[in-house]
mmCIF file of all heavy atoms in Angstrom:
data_model
loop_
_atom_site.group_PDB
_atom_site.id
_atom_site.type_symbol
_atom_site.label_atom_id
_atom_site.label_comp_id
_atom_site.label_asym_id
_atom_site.label_seq_id
_atom_site.Cartn_x
_atom_site.Cartn_y
_atom_site.Cartn_z
ATOM 1 N N ASP A 66 -122.806 -27.450 -74.479
ATOM 2 C CA ASP A 66 -122.521 -28.716 -74.932
ATOM 3 C C ASP A 66 -122.133 -29.615 -73.770
ATOM 4 O O ASP A 66 -122.508 -30.789 -73.543
ATOM 5 C CB ASP A 66 -121.330 -28.811 -75.979
ATOM 6 C CG ASP A 66 -121.275 -30.047 -76.784
ATOM 7 O OD1 ASP A 66 -122.295 -30.717 -76.958
ATOM 8 O OD2 ASP A 66 -120.177 -30.402 -77.145
ATOM 9 N N VAL A 67 -121.194 -29.165 -72.900
ATOM 10 C CA VAL A 67 -120.849 -29.888 -71.731
ATOM 11 C C VAL A 67 -121.926 -30.165 -70.669
ATOM 12 O O VAL A 67 -122.135 -31.266 -70.266
ATOM 13 C CB VAL A 67 -119.580 -29.103 -71.038
ATOM 14 C CG1 VAL A 67 -119.358 -29.841 -69.685
ATOM 15 C CG2 VAL A 67 -118.382 -29.197 -71.925
ATOM 16 N N VAL A 68 -122.700 -29.081 -70.453
ATOM 17 C CA VAL A 68 -123.895 -29.215 -69.472
ATOM 18 C C VAL A 68 -124.936 -30.178 -69.983
ATOM 19 O O VAL A 68 -125.342 -31.027 -69.166
ATOM 20 C CB VAL A 68 -124.419 -27.757 -69.404
ATOM 21 C CG1 VAL A 68 -125.814 -27.992 -68.576
ATOM 22 C CG2 VAL A 68 -123.588 -26.783 -68.655
ATOM 23 N N LEU A 69 -125.202 -30.054 -71.319
ATOM 24 C CA LEU A 69 -126.209 -31.085 -71.817
ATOM 25 C C LEU A 69 -125.587 -32.506 -71.758
ATOM 26 O O LEU A 69 -126.375 -33.415 -71.438
ATOM 27 C CB LEU A 69 -126.495 -30.780 -73.252
ATOM 28 C CG LEU A 69 -127.543 -31.646 -73.919
ATOM 29 C CD1 LEU A 69 -128.746 -31.629 -73.189
ATOM 30 C CD2 LEU A 69 -127.615 -31.273 -75.418
ATOM 31 N N ALA A 70 -124.290 -32.643 -71.894
ATOM 32 C CA ALA A 70 -123.671 -34.038 -71.871
ATOM 33 C C ALA A 70 -123.672 -34.524 -70.538
ATOM 34 O O ALA A 70 -124.018 -35.767 -70.280
ATOM 35 C CB ALA A 70 -122.256 -34.011 -72.397
ATOM 36 N N VAL A 71 -123.567 -33.618 -69.485
ATOM 37 C CA VAL A 71 -123.569 -34.091 -68.001
ATOM 38 C C VAL A 71 -124.944 -34.587 -67.741
ATOM 39 O O VAL A 71 -125.094 -35.671 -67.175
ATOM 40 C CB VAL A 71 -123.216 -32.841 -67.162
ATOM 41 C CG1 VAL A 71 -123.592 -33.368 -65.760
ATOM 42 C CG2 VAL A 71 -121.748 -32.612 -67.230
ATOM 43 N N VAL A 72 -126.046 -33.868 -68.251
ATOM 44 C CA VAL A 72 -127.407 -34.338 -67.889
ATOM 45 C C VAL A 72 -127.723 -35.659 -68.559
ATOM 46 O O VAL A 72 -128.189 -36.523 -67.881
ATOM 47 C CB VAL A 72 -128.425 -33.139 -68.524
ATOM 48 C CG1 VAL A 72 -129.793 -33.695 -68.387
ATOM 49 C CG2 VAL A 72 -128.229 -31.929 -67.745
ATOM 50 N N TYR A 73 -127.434 -35.875 -69.936
ATOM 51 C CA TYR A 73 -127.737 -37.147 -70.538
ATOM 52 C C TYR A 73 -126.832 -38.245 -70.081
ATOM 53 O O TYR A 73 -127.222 -39.361 -70.168
ATOM 54 C CB TYR A 73 -128.026 -37.017 -72.034
ATOM 55 C CG TYR A 73 -126.897 -36.759 -72.916
ATOM 56 C CD1 TYR A 73 -125.780 -37.608 -73.048
ATOM 57 C CD2 TYR A 73 -126.760 -35.518 -73.588
ATOM 58 C CE1 TYR A 73 -124.712 -37.222 -73.928
ATOM 59 C CE2 TYR A 73 -125.719 -35.244 -74.519
ATOM 60 C CZ TYR A 73 -124.702 -36.111 -74.606
ATOM 61 O OH TYR A 73 -123.700 -35.806 -75.530
ATOM 62 N N ALA A 74 -125.648 -37.961 -69.736
ATOM 63 C CA ALA A 74 -124.785 -39.020 -69.214
ATOM 64 C C ALA A 74 -125.349 -39.641 -67.921
ATOM 65 O O ALA A 74 -125.114 -40.855 -67.804
ATOM 66 C CB ALA A 74 -123.346 -38.443 -68.815
ATOM 67 N N ILE A 75 -126.008 -38.793 -67.077
ATOM 68 C CA ILE A 75 -126.558 -39.208 -65.926
ATOM 69 C C ILE A 75 -127.955 -39.971 -66.079
ATOM 70 O O ILE A 75 -128.273 -41.051 -65.725
ATOM 71 C CB ILE A 75 -126.606 -38.241 -64.802
ATOM 72 C CG1 ILE A 75 -125.156 -37.790 -64.456
ATOM 73 C CG2 ILE A 75 -127.263 -38.656 -63.566
ATOM 74 C CD1 ILE A 75 -124.967 -36.569 -63.579
ATOM 75 N N VAL A 76 -128.806 -39.000 -66.664
ATOM 76 C CA VAL A 76 -130.225 -39.470 -66.791
ATOM 77 C C VAL A 76 -130.486 -40.632 -67.686
ATOM 78 O O VAL A 76 -131.127 -41.535 -67.314
ATOM 79 C CB VAL A 76 -131.104 -38.274 -67.360
ATOM 80 C CG1 VAL A 76 -132.528 -38.644 -67.503
ATOM 81 C CG2 VAL A 76 -130.956 -37.090 -66.279
ATOM 82 N N VAL A 77 -129.824 -40.488 -68.836
ATOM 83 C CA VAL A 77 -130.079 -41.692 -69.795
ATOM 84 C C VAL A 77 -129.327 -42.980 -69.369
ATOM 85 O O VAL A 77 -129.940 -44.081 -69.475
ATOM 86 C CB VAL A 77 -129.471 -41.275 -71.219
ATOM 87 C CG1 VAL A 77 -129.560 -42.450 -72.105
ATOM 88 C CG2 VAL A 77 -130.280 -40.068 -71.785
ATOM 89 N N SER A 78 -128.159 -42.808 -68.814
ATOM 90 C CA SER A 78 -127.438 -44.038 -68.331
ATOM 91 C C SER A 78 -128.127 -44.681 -67.250
ATOM 92 O O SER A 78 -128.283 -45.963 -67.130
ATOM 93 C CB SER A 78 -126.015 -43.709 -67.912
ATOM 94 O OG SER A 78 -125.326 -43.078 -69.070
ATOM 95 N N ARG A 79 -128.814 -43.968 -66.448
ATOM 96 C CA ARG A 79 -129.567 -44.497 -65.252
ATOM 97 C C ARG A 79 -130.813 -45.126 -65.737
ATOM 98 O O ARG A 79 -131.505 -45.822 -64.906
ATOM 99 C CB ARG A 79 -129.839 -43.296 -64.302
ATOM 100 C CG ARG A 79 -128.608 -42.923 -63.511
ATOM 101 C CD ARG A 79 -128.338 -43.859 -62.412
ATOM 102 N NE ARG A 79 -127.023 -43.399 -61.627
ATOM 103 C CZ ARG A 79 -126.778 -43.812 -60.418
ATOM 104 N NH1 ARG A 79 -127.582 -44.618 -59.842
ATOM 105 N NH2 ARG A 79 -125.694 -43.443 -59.903
ATOM 106 N N SER A 80 -131.276 -44.878 -66.925
ATOM 107 C CA SER A 80 -132.467 -45.425 -67.369
ATOM 108 C C SER A 80 -132.186 -46.721 -68.022
ATOM 109 O O SER A 80 -133.305 -47.425 -68.395
ATOM 110 C CB SER A 80 -133.074 -44.430 -68.526
ATOM 111 O OG SER A 80 -133.286 -43.147 -68.011
ATOM 112 N N TYR A 81 -131.141 -47.195 -68.246
ATOM 113 C CA TYR A 81 -130.893 -48.628 -68.676
ATOM 114 C C TYR A 81 -130.752 -49.560 -67.606
ATOM 115 O O TYR A 81 -130.513 -49.142 -66.390
ATOM 116 C CB TYR A 81 -129.467 -48.674 -69.439
ATOM 117 C CG TYR A 81 -129.477 -48.037 -70.820
ATOM 118 C CD1 TYR A 81 -129.339 -46.656 -71.109
ATOM 119 C CD2 TYR A 81 -129.863 -48.930 -71.879
ATOM 120 C CE1 TYR A 81 -129.368 -46.180 -72.363
ATOM 121 C CE2 TYR A 81 -129.900 -48.417 -73.275
ATOM 122 C CZ TYR A 81 -129.557 -47.096 -73.319
ATOM 123 O OH TYR A 81 -129.640 -46.508 -74.754
ATOM 124 N N PRO A 82 -130.866 -50.763 -67.737
ATOM 125 C CA PRO A 82 -130.699 -51.921 -66.717
ATOM 126 C C PRO A 82 -129.200 -51.776 -66.478
ATOM 127 O O PRO A 82 -128.352 -51.473 -67.303
ATOM 128 C CB PRO A 82 -130.988 -53.124 -67.461
ATOM 129 C CG PRO A 82 -132.050 -52.784 -68.567
ATOM 130 C CD PRO A 82 -131.474 -51.378 -69.065
ATOM 131 N N PRO A 83 -128.777 -52.033 -65.175
ATOM 132 C CA PRO A 83 -127.411 -51.974 -64.782
ATOM 133 C C PRO A 83 -126.446 -52.611 -65.776
ATOM 134 O O PRO A 83 -125.349 -52.185 -66.039
ATOM 135 C CB PRO A 83 -127.276 -52.524 -63.397
ATOM 136 C CG PRO A 83 -128.639 -52.200 -62.830
ATOM 137 C CD PRO A 83 -129.714 -52.334 -64.019
ATOM 138 N N VAL A 84 -126.856 -53.822 -66.278
ATOM 139 C CA VAL A 84 -125.896 -54.649 -66.962
ATOM 140 C C VAL A 84 -125.613 -53.928 -68.390
ATOM 141 O O VAL A 84 -124.686 -54.250 -69.000
ATOM 142 C CB VAL A 84 -126.401 -56.042 -67.140
ATOM 143 C CG1 VAL A 84 -127.694 -56.022 -68.121
ATOM 144 C CG2 VAL A 84 -125.334 -56.895 -67.746
ATOM 145 N N GLU A 85 -126.560 -53.066 -68.729
ATOM 146 C CA GLU A 85 -126.431 -52.324 -70.094
ATOM 147 C C GLU A 85 -125.942 -50.921 -70.019
ATOM 148 O O GLU A 85 -125.649 -50.331 -71.024
ATOM 149 C CB GLU A 85 -127.760 -52.370 -70.809
ATOM 150 C CG GLU A 85 -128.301 -53.799 -71.249
ATOM 151 C CD GLU A 85 -129.652 -53.638 -72.033
ATOM 152 O OE1 GLU A 85 -129.586 -53.027 -73.058
ATOM 153 O OE2 GLU A 85 -130.620 -53.954 -71.385
ATOM 154 N N ALA A 86 -125.879 -50.416 -68.659
ATOM 155 C CA ALA A 86 -125.515 -48.890 -68.567
ATOM 156 C C ALA A 86 -124.156 -48.628 -69.097
ATOM 157 O O ALA A 86 -123.898 -47.612 -69.592
ATOM 158 C CB ALA A 86 -125.493 -48.612 -67.152
ATOM 159 N N ALA A 87 -123.183 -49.575 -69.140
ATOM 160 C CA ALA A 87 -121.886 -49.270 -69.757
ATOM 161 C C ALA A 87 -121.635 -50.045 -70.980
ATOM 162 O O ALA A 87 -120.473 -50.064 -71.380
ATOM 163 C CB ALA A 87 -120.742 -49.612 -68.640
ATOM 164 N N SER A 88 -122.588 -50.633 -71.520
ATOM 165 C CA SER A 88 -122.448 -51.462 -72.778
ATOM 166 C C SER A 88 -122.666 -50.577 -74.037
ATOM 167 O O SER A 88 -123.262 -49.429 -73.880
ATOM 168 C CB SER A 88 -123.404 -52.578 -72.836
ATOM 169 O OG SER A 88 -124.789 -52.094 -72.899
ATOM 170 N N ILE A 89 -122.487 -51.164 -75.238
ATOM 171 C CA ILE A 89 -122.744 -50.331 -76.478
ATOM 172 C C ILE A 89 -124.137 -49.991 -76.675
ATOM 173 O O ILE A 89 -124.387 -49.130 -77.495
ATOM 174 C CB ILE A 89 -122.131 -51.201 -77.601
ATOM 175 C CG1 ILE A 89 -122.066 -50.364 -78.895
ATOM 176 C CG2 ILE A 89 -122.987 -52.482 -78.028
ATOM 177 C CD1 ILE A 89 -121.162 -49.088 -78.787
ATOM 178 N N THR A 90 -125.124 -50.601 -76.021
ATOM 179 C CA THR A 90 -126.561 -50.328 -76.101
ATOM 180 C C THR A 90 -126.849 -48.923 -75.606
ATOM 181 O O THR A 90 -127.880 -48.334 -75.889
ATOM 182 C CB THR A 90 -127.430 -51.323 -75.481
ATOM 183 O OG1 THR A 90 -126.972 -51.502 -74.189
ATOM 184 C CG2 THR A 90 -127.192 -52.791 -76.226
ATOM 185 N N ASN A 91 -125.972 -48.476 -74.840
ATOM 186 C CA ASN A 91 -126.112 -47.064 -74.229
ATOM 187 C C ASN A 91 -125.604 -46.037 -75.201
ATOM 188 O O ASN A 91 -124.326 -45.935 -75.369
ATOM 189 C CB ASN A 91 -125.491 -46.989 -72.750
ATOM 190 C CG ASN A 91 -125.679 -45.548 -72.146
ATOM 191 O OD1 ASN A 91 -126.358 -44.741 -72.678
ATOM 192 N ND2 ASN A 91 -125.247 -45.576 -70.883
ATOM 193 N N TRP A 92 -126.357 -45.311 -75.826
ATOM 194 C CA TRP A 92 -126.043 -44.499 -77.040
ATOM 195 C C TRP A 92 -125.057 -43.325 -76.432
ATOM 196 O O TRP A 92 -124.422 -42.638 -77.246
ATOM 197 C CB TRP A 92 -127.224 -43.968 -77.673
ATOM 198 C CG TRP A 92 -128.032 -42.921 -76.870
ATOM 199 C CD1 TRP A 92 -129.326 -43.339 -76.231
ATOM 200 C CD2 TRP A 92 -127.919 -41.515 -76.646
ATOM 201 N NE1 TRP A 92 -129.733 -42.147 -75.685
ATOM 202 C CE2 TRP A 92 -128.966 -41.078 -75.693
ATOM 203 C CE3 TRP A 92 -126.996 -40.636 -76.941
ATOM 204 C CZ2 TRP A 92 -129.172 -39.808 -75.336
ATOM 205 C CZ3 TRP A 92 -126.977 -39.359 -76.529
ATOM 206 C CH2 TRP A 92 -128.028 -38.843 -75.806
#
Side-chain angles (χ1 to χ4, degrees):
D66 194 30
V67 170
V68 170
L69 181 60
V71 168
V72 172
Y73 63 69
I75 298 174
V76 174
V77 174
S78 297
R79 290 280 180 160
S80 301
Y81 281 93
V84 72
E85 295 184 66
S88 71
I89 193 60
T90 56
N91 186 354
W92 65 262

